Amino acid sequence: DRAVDWYDAQQPPMGDDFINEVYATVQRMVGGPQAFPRANRPPTGREVIVAKVHRFEYLVYYEVTATELLILCVTHGKRGRHPWRQRLP
């Protein structure tokens, strides 16, 4: 919500554009979950994947299991090296 509000404050309706791009990224992930690069240094036995949100400097970190695609976080690209680590189940 904060990113949407920030983008809307910069140039309405950019917040809507951001949400639409995040949804489009998730659709690409669902269509080809293994097509994206692996995150650096995941914990042993984990495969964390990262997808870039088009037009915005945001990344979606996720894992793929036999039954689901688990989104760990959506974060700004300049935010820390491993923001997804604290979200691991």
Side-chain angles (χ1 to χ4, degrees), residues 65-86:
T65 71
T67 59
E68 66 186 355
L69 188 146
L70 176 64
I71 295 175
L72 302 171
C73 72
V74 178
T75 187
H76 193 276
K78 291 188 178 179
R79 188 166 200 171
R81 299 190 106 193
H82 305 289
W84 46 268
R85 284 185 180 266
Q86 64 192 20

Side-chain angles (χ1 to χ4, degrees), residues 3-83:
V4 172
D5 292 341
W6 188 87
Y7 282 117
D8 272 340
Q10 301 306 304
Q11 183 181 357
M14 194 174 276
D16 289 338
D17 293 346
F18 173 71
I19 288 293
N20 290 336
E21 289 295 342
V22 170
Y23 286 144
T25 301
V26 171
Q27 290 303 312
R28 286 193 312 277
M29 291 161 36
V30 169
Q34 300 299 329
F36 296 91
R38 306 308 176 255
N40 292 328
R41 299 183 185 164
T44 302
R46 305 299 286 264
E47 185 175 9
V48 177
I49 304 169
V50 59
K52 184 178 183 319
V53 177
H54 289 271
R55 294 184 48 218
F56 295 90
E57 213 171 325
Y58 274 76
L59 304 170
V60 180
Y61 288 88
Y62 63 100
E63 284 187 298
V64 178
T65 71
T67 59
E68 66 186 355
L69 188 146
L70 176 64
I71 295 175
L72 302 171
C73 72
V74 178
T75 187
H76 193 276
K78 291 188 178 179
R79 188 166 200 171
R81 299 190 106 193
H82 305 289

